[in-house]
Amino acid sequence: MLALTSIWTTILLAAAVALGPLATDMYLPALPSMGEALSAGPDQVQLTLSLYMAGFALAQLFCGPLADRFGRKPVMITGFLLFFLASVGCALATNVETLMLNRFLQALGGSAGPVLGRAAIRDIYTPRDAARIMAILASIMALAPAIAPTLGGFLLGFFGWPSIFITLGVYGLIMAVVVAFGIPEPMAPANRQSLKLRNLSRNYRHIGTDPSFIGYTLTNAFAFSGLFAFLSGSSFVLIDFLGVAPEHYGLYFACVVAGYISGNLVSVRLGRRLVPDQILLRGLLISVAGGVAMAGLAMLKVHNVWAVMIPQAVVMMGVGMTLPQTMAGALANFPTMAGSASALFGFGQMALAACVGALVGHFYAGTSLVMASVIAACSVAALATYLLLVQRYPAPGFEPAEVAK
């Protein structure tokens, strides 16, 4: 077993959290091809992505409290095994309805990795250290969306779209083994919570009415929804509208991931001299600049790949600075119920993202305008939430006054 504070433990937790982006990003190049194979329209195929996010959101409400009661490891292992079985079901689907059902089940299992990976970081580190570690974790985890679309395009071209889900299933099975034998249980026995409905209700009420938690969660949810709007619409915009070959989609997507990684690295560097809320504001302003630029170019009918990719890379740089700070800030007040707090945080993030993704799919009209407008709106909403809530109720240790102490 590795030491909890070992860099290898952080890498393994990053691999667990990466299951979420892998399950969404790897099959993005295949969405148009899957629609043809399953006789489904763009809105139906896109719905498999939104249903995954909806299942992901709902499952977190249950796996968080279960992990607060039984520990992080048993719930993660069970989730990864369910993810494996549902991935096989996706690969065997012969119609879009069966694919939707298995994507939903895949989400139920896959949610354990991200929600409990965040909780484990909070178990191990103080709130301010957790923000720095989450930024490092996010940088490592960003390899997943950098590689996933390219790998998905390769698998699609050589083996067909079912091979993408077989690959995801194998990854889930490997992670179950790694968590079982490689990572110690991070949760202290003294912090275990009761599963009684009254206690769960009290815990969620306590977490959900905390103004600091609300501020960071909503800011994160809007920022993440802007990213998800891109995930939802980019394959149709780039492949169908702008003529990018499916096998090249991952190469363009890597530009976006490079923006995200640079934001993570800037966040880590700035963390040595700024508190997390100061980094958060800078990230939000960068995201707004990128989102507004993309929407403006779309309105001016500047239709080329780089009019989408360069502004989105800027958006992602801001998101890379934003997400680690909001994750750590939302969990800062709840050291003894980090699993439940992470679950409610993830539910808010994924529920809003699922709605935004469905919105992009429903109103997609064959150009980049809808996707770009939604990304810009989400960036502006994230900044507004920060100004109205987070600045008034910063997490302990996040406010600038801490620097002077």
PDB file of all heavy atoms in Angstrom, residues 94-112:
ATOM      1  N   THR A  94     -27.886  -2.337 -29.654  1.00  0.00           N
ATOM      2  CA  THR A  94     -28.279  -2.365 -31.068  1.00  0.00           C
ATOM      3  C   THR A  94     -29.266  -1.261 -31.410  1.00  0.00           C
ATOM      4  O   THR A  94     -29.691  -1.145 -32.557  1.00  0.00           O
ATOM      5  CB  THR A  94     -28.902  -3.731 -31.421  1.00  0.00           C
ATOM      6  OG1 THR A  94     -30.002  -3.983 -30.530  1.00  0.00           O
ATOM      7  CG2 THR A  94     -27.875  -4.847 -31.295  1.00  0.00           C
ATOM      8  N   ASN A  95     -29.664  -0.474 -30.420  1.00  0.00           N
ATOM      9  CA  ASN A  95     -30.530   0.680 -30.675  1.00  0.00           C
ATOM     10  C   ASN A  95     -30.185   1.762 -29.661  1.00  0.00           C
ATOM     11  O   ASN A  95     -29.541   1.504 -28.637  1.00  0.00           O
ATOM     12  CB  ASN A  95     -32.018   0.297 -30.602  1.00  0.00           C
ATOM     13  CG  ASN A  95     -32.379  -0.365 -29.287  1.00  0.00           C
ATOM     14  OD1 ASN A  95     -32.320   0.257 -28.228  1.00  0.00           O
ATOM     15  ND2 ASN A  95     -32.744  -1.647 -29.344  1.00  0.00           N
ATOM     16  N   VAL A  96     -30.628   2.967 -29.953  1.00  0.00           N
ATOM     17  CA  VAL A  96     -30.224   4.104 -29.129  1.00  0.00           C
ATOM     18  C   VAL A  96     -30.843   4.038 -27.734  1.00  0.00           C
ATOM     19  O   VAL A  96     -30.245   4.518 -26.759  1.00  0.00           O
ATOM     20  CB  VAL A  96     -30.573   5.431 -29.836  1.00  0.00           C
ATOM     21  CG1 VAL A  96     -32.080   5.692 -29.818  1.00  0.00           C
ATOM     22  CG2 VAL A  96     -29.819   6.602 -29.216  1.00  0.00           C
ATOM     23  N   GLU A  97     -32.026   3.421 -27.603  1.00  0.00           N
ATOM     24  CA  GLU A  97     -32.658   3.307 -26.291  1.00  0.00           C
ATOM     25  C   GLU A  97     -31.835   2.425 -25.351  1.00  0.00           C
ATOM     26  O   GLU A  97     -31.649   2.741 -24.180  1.00  0.00           O
ATOM     27  CB  GLU A  97     -34.084   2.749 -26.429  1.00  0.00           C
ATOM     28  CG  GLU A  97     -35.077   3.695 -27.101  1.00  0.00           C
ATOM     29  CD  GLU A  97     -34.958   3.727 -28.605  1.00  0.00           C
ATOM     30  OE1 GLU A  97     -34.301   2.819 -29.164  1.00  0.00           O
ATOM     31  OE2 GLU A  97     -35.517   4.648 -29.227  1.00  0.00           O
ATOM     32  N   THR A  98     -31.338   1.298 -25.861  1.00  0.00           N
ATOM     33  CA  THR A  98     -30.485   0.419 -25.045  1.00  0.00           C
ATOM     34  C   THR A  98     -29.193   1.117 -24.672  1.00  0.00           C
ATOM     35  O   THR A  98     -28.698   0.978 -23.544  1.00  0.00           O
ATOM     36  CB  THR A  98     -30.170  -0.875 -25.815  1.00  0.00           C
ATOM     37  OG1 THR A  98     -31.394  -1.524 -26.165  1.00  0.00           O
ATOM     38  CG2 THR A  98     -29.332  -1.825 -24.969  1.00  0.00           C
ATOM     39  N   LEU A  99     -28.650   1.875 -25.609  1.00  0.00           N
ATOM     40  CA  LEU A  99     -27.431   2.635 -25.329  1.00  0.00           C
ATOM     41  C   LEU A  99     -27.683   3.655 -24.225  1.00  0.00           C
ATOM     42  O   LEU A  99     -26.864   3.813 -23.310  1.00  0.00           O
ATOM     43  CB  LEU A  99     -26.952   3.335 -26.596  1.00  0.00           C
ATOM     44  CG  LEU A  99     -25.681   4.169 -26.453  1.00  0.00           C
ATOM     45  CD1 LEU A  99     -24.493   3.295 -26.079  1.00  0.00           C
ATOM     46  CD2 LEU A  99     -25.398   4.938 -27.748  1.00  0.00           C
ATOM     47  N   MET A 100     -28.826   4.350 -24.273  1.00  0.00           N
ATOM     48  CA  MET A 100     -29.162   5.335 -23.248  1.00  0.00           C
ATOM     49  C   MET A 100     -29.248   4.690 -21.868  1.00  0.00           C
ATOM     50  O   MET A 100     -28.721   5.221 -20.884  1.00  0.00           O
ATOM     51  CB  MET A 100     -30.505   6.009 -23.577  1.00  0.00           C
ATOM     52  CG  MET A 100     -30.464   6.972 -24.739  1.00  0.00           C
ATOM     53  SD  MET A 100     -32.121   7.667 -25.045  1.00  0.00           S
ATOM     54  CE  MET A 100     -31.797   8.674 -26.486  1.00  0.00           C
ATOM     55  N   LEU A 101     -29.909   3.524 -21.798  1.00  0.00           N
ATOM     56  CA  LEU A 101     -30.059   2.830 -20.523  1.00  0.00           C
ATOM     57  C   LEU A 101     -28.698   2.453 -19.947  1.00  0.00           C
ATOM     58  O   LEU A 101     -28.422   2.681 -18.756  1.00  0.00           O
ATOM     59  CB  LEU A 101     -30.924   1.578 -20.700  1.00  0.00           C
ATOM     60  CG  LEU A 101     -31.024   0.652 -19.477  1.00  0.00           C
ATOM     61  CD1 LEU A 101     -31.667   1.384 -18.300  1.00  0.00           C
ATOM     62  CD2 LEU A 101     -31.808  -0.607 -19.821  1.00  0.00           C
ATOM     63  N   ASN A 102     -27.835   1.891 -20.777  1.00  0.00           N
ATOM     64  CA  ASN A 102     -26.526   1.463 -20.286  1.00  0.00           C
ATOM     65  C   ASN A 102     -25.620   2.644 -19.980  1.00  0.00           C
ATOM     66  O   ASN A 102     -24.776   2.549 -19.087  1.00  0.00           O
ATOM     67  CB  ASN A 102     -25.873   0.522 -21.294  1.00  0.00           C
ATOM     68  CG  ASN A 102     -26.410  -0.892 -21.197  1.00  0.00           C
ATOM     69  OD1 ASN A 102     -26.095  -1.630 -20.272  1.00  0.00           O
ATOM     70  ND2 ASN A 102     -27.257  -1.272 -22.148  1.00  0.00           N
ATOM     71  N   ARG A 103     -25.781   3.742 -20.698  1.00  0.00           N
ATOM     72  CA  ARG A 103     -25.022   4.953 -20.366  1.00  0.00           C
ATOM     73  C   ARG A 103     -25.429   5.468 -18.982  1.00  0.00           C
ATOM     74  O   ARG A 103     -24.593   5.925 -18.203  1.00  0.00           O
ATOM     75  CB  ARG A 103     -25.247   6.040 -21.412  1.00  0.00           C
ATOM     76  CG  ARG A 103     -24.461   5.860 -22.669  1.00  0.00           C
ATOM     77  CD  ARG A 103     -22.978   6.104 -22.453  1.00  0.00           C
ATOM     78  NE  ARG A 103     -22.661   7.519 -22.347  1.00  0.00           N
ATOM     79  CZ  ARG A 103     -21.476   7.995 -22.015  1.00  0.00           C
ATOM     80  NH1 ARG A 103     -20.479   7.174 -21.728  1.00  0.00           N
ATOM     81  NH2 ARG A 103     -21.258   9.292 -21.947  1.00  0.00           N
ATOM     82  N   PHE A 104     -26.730   5.375 -18.688  1.00  0.00           N
ATOM     83  CA  PHE A 104     -27.205   5.791 -17.370  1.00  0.00           C
ATOM     84  C   PHE A 104     -26.607   4.899 -16.283  1.00  0.00           C
ATOM     85  O   PHE A 104     -26.121   5.392 -15.256  1.00  0.00           O
ATOM     86  CB  PHE A 104     -28.734   5.735 -17.334  1.00  0.00           C
ATOM     87  CG  PHE A 104     -29.339   6.272 -16.070  1.00  0.00           C
ATOM     88  CD1 PHE A 104     -29.494   7.636 -15.886  1.00  0.00           C
ATOM     89  CD2 PHE A 104     -29.746   5.415 -15.052  1.00  0.00           C
ATOM     90  CE1 PHE A 104     -30.046   8.144 -14.714  1.00  0.00           C
ATOM     91  CE2 PHE A 104     -30.296   5.911 -13.885  1.00  0.00           C
ATOM     92  CZ  PHE A 104     -30.450   7.276 -13.716  1.00  0.00           C
ATOM     93  N   LEU A 105     -26.604   3.580 -16.508  1.00  0.00           N
ATOM     94  CA  LEU A 105     -26.018   2.655 -15.540  1.00  0.00           C
ATOM     95  C   LEU A 105     -24.507   2.860 -15.428  1.00  0.00           C
ATOM     96  O   LEU A 105     -23.934   2.766 -14.332  1.00  0.00           O
ATOM     97  CB  LEU A 105     -26.313   1.208 -15.958  1.00  0.00           C
ATOM     98  CG  LEU A 105     -27.779   0.775 -15.923  1.00  0.00           C
ATOM     99  CD1 LEU A 105     -27.933  -0.632 -16.488  1.00  0.00           C
ATOM    100  CD2 LEU A 105     -28.336   0.854 -14.502  1.00  0.00           C
ATOM    101  N   GLN A 106     -23.879   3.157 -16.543  1.00  0.00           N
ATOM    102  CA  GLN A 106     -22.449   3.449 -16.548  1.00  0.00           C
ATOM    103  C   GLN A 106     -22.151   4.647 -15.648  1.00  0.00           C
ATOM    104  O   GLN A 106     -21.170   4.663 -14.902  1.00  0.00           O
ATOM    105  CB  GLN A 106     -22.005   3.724 -17.991  1.00  0.00           C
ATOM    106  CG  GLN A 106     -20.508   3.686 -18.213  1.00  0.00           C
ATOM    107  CD  GLN A 106     -20.153   4.072 -19.642  1.00  0.00           C
ATOM    108  OE1 GLN A 106     -20.753   4.968 -20.227  1.00  0.00           O
ATOM    109  NE2 GLN A 106     -19.169   3.387 -20.210  1.00  0.00           N
ATOM    110  N   ALA A 107     -23.029   5.634 -15.710  1.00  0.00           N
ATOM    111  CA  ALA A 107     -22.855   6.832 -14.877  1.00  0.00           C
ATOM    112  C   ALA A 107     -23.000   6.513 -13.396  1.00  0.00           C
ATOM    113  O   ALA A 107     -22.279   7.078 -12.563  1.00  0.00           O
ATOM    114  CB  ALA A 107     -23.866   7.900 -15.287  1.00  0.00           C
ATOM    115  N   LEU A 108     -23.946   5.627 -13.057  1.00  0.00           N
ATOM    116  CA  LEU A 108     -24.142   5.270 -11.652  1.00  0.00           C
ATOM    117  C   LEU A 108     -22.860   4.707 -11.049  1.00  0.00           C
ATOM    118  O   LEU A 108     -22.493   5.023  -9.912  1.00  0.00           O
ATOM    119  CB  LEU A 108     -25.277   4.253 -11.511  1.00  0.00           C
ATOM    120  CG  LEU A 108     -26.671   4.699 -11.968  1.00  0.00           C
ATOM    121  CD1 LEU A 108     -27.700   3.610 -11.663  1.00  0.00           C
ATOM    122  CD2 LEU A 108     -27.087   6.013 -11.332  1.00  0.00           C
ATOM    123  N   GLY A 109     -22.160   3.870 -11.825  1.00  0.00           N
ATOM    124  CA  GLY A 109     -20.913   3.314 -11.338  1.00  0.00           C
ATOM    125  C   GLY A 109     -19.757   4.293 -11.432  1.00  0.00           C
ATOM    126  O   GLY A 109     -18.936   4.403 -10.514  1.00  0.00           O
ATOM    127  N   GLY A 110     -19.699   5.016 -12.526  1.00  0.00           N
ATOM    128  CA  GLY A 110     -18.576   5.920 -12.759  1.00  0.00           C
ATOM    129  C   GLY A 110     -18.511   7.095 -11.817  1.00  0.00           C
ATOM    130  O   GLY A 110     -17.445   7.695 -11.630  1.00  0.00           O
ATOM    131  N   SER A 111     -19.634   7.446 -11.202  1.00  0.00           N
ATOM    132  CA  SER A 111     -19.655   8.607 -10.302  1.00  0.00           C
ATOM    133  C   SER A 111     -18.785   8.401  -9.073  1.00  0.00           C
ATOM    134  O   SER A 111     -18.328   9.373  -8.461  1.00  0.00           O
ATOM    135  CB  SER A 111     -21.090   8.904  -9.862  1.00  0.00           C
ATOM    136  OG  SER A 111     -21.583   7.845  -9.054  1.00  0.00           O
ATOM    137  N   ALA A 112     -18.546   7.149  -8.696  1.00  0.00           N
ATOM    138  CA  ALA A 112     -17.784   6.869  -7.471  1.00  0.00           C
ATOM    139  C   ALA A 112     -16.360   7.412  -7.552  1.00  0.00           C
ATOM    140  O   ALA A 112     -15.813   7.881  -6.551  1.00  0.00           O
ATOM    141  CB  ALA A 112     -17.762   5.370  -7.196  1.00  0.00           C
TER     142      ALA A 112
END
